[in-house]
Amino acid sequence: MLALPIALPVTLEGQISLESAKMKREVDTALPAKFRSSMAGLKLSLWGTFQFNSEDQFEMFSLSPDRLSKTSFPVEFDSRTFWHAKNCLERKAIAAWLDIAVQRRIRWGRELAHLSDEDLENRSFNYLVEDFTIAYEHLPLQEAFLFRLRNAERDLRQIAHSNHDKFNAIEKAKPLRVLLDNERVWAEKWADTANEDDVKLDYYGADKIPEAVHPIYAYRRYHMDRQEGFPLFNLWGEPMSSGGQAKGASKAATRVA
């Protein structure tokens, strides 16, 4: 079981740090230190928002007491220390980005519709993908997205009305599987000549990933680490246009190998 790639905007890490620092400073300014030190914890109910331009390209992330759009997501902001603030915001932001990515992918096509129920259930995942993804490490991100996509496919099957619906879903998703097969060919060619360290998946939980998937994940990581983008896709896993630009991607994520 495998899906097309997913990535975070390359500027998101810095923006999360900046928004965390700004909100932490506001809290510290509003509450004197003698009160903050006497409190077991200070958590604020805030809203995070991903903002896109008219071409659907990611522009910025913001944190606010107000809900700025229908896609804004709630954040319980822990302001005890900057580390707590940044960590809780980072986790929420990544989870929200993955939720958006799954919805977007499902609208494009049910990528896992062709798999049997048994294949869906038999794929093992590291327990960390359920509640925490390590930010900006590409392998856990791929697994966390696939985990959510698997769960979404499972839920859709529970409400499917007929075999005809399933057949239509499989047919609609054929172009996605073709794109994935193309990526697999490129990844395997790359892995034949790549440095051994570049091909190795050295993160906790890699033993859960099927061996055949290793070169593809390594190929994705290699290009994200060096070009901040995939050779064939934008950060949503959607194919590049004929002009070389990626629909829905940040400018940094449209660079190709």
Side-chain angles (χ1 to χ4, degrees), residues 24-45:
K24 179 70 167 62
R25 183 180 61 188
E26 287 192 35
V27 173
D28 290 352
T29 301
L31 271 178
K34 63 180 181 179
F35 292 118
R36 295 200 307 271
S37 62
S38 66
M39 300 175 69
L42 180 59
K43 296 183 179 181
L44 307 177
S45 295

Side-chain angles (χ1 to χ4, degrees), residues 59-130:
E59 285 196 326
M60 64 178 295
F61 170 78
S62 62
L63 186 64
S64 169
D66 304 312
R67 186 173 189 175
L68 302 181
S69 77
K70 64 180 182 180
T71 59
S72 296
F73 56 93
V75 175
E76 189 179 66
F77 188 79
D78 187 341
S79 63
R80 284 175 290 171
T81 66
F82 172 73
W83 182 89
H84 283 98
K86 179 179 180 296
N87 185 57
C88 74
L89 181 56
E90 184 176 279
R91 291 175 63 174
K92 280 289 187 179
I94 294 172
W97 185 270
L98 289 174
D99 288 342
I100 294 171
V102 167
Q103 295 169 12
R104 188 167 177 140
R105 187 68 59 85
I106 290 292
R107 286 196 300 269
W108 185 17
R110 285 170 53 186
E111 198 169 0
L112 307 180
H114 65 289
L115 297 175
S116 68
D117 292 344
E118 184 179 9
D119 287 338
L120 285 181
E121 296 301 328
N122 286 345
R123 174 62 155 88
S124 297
F125 290 92
N126 186 307
Y127 74 94
L128 290 176
V129 304
E130 299 183 28

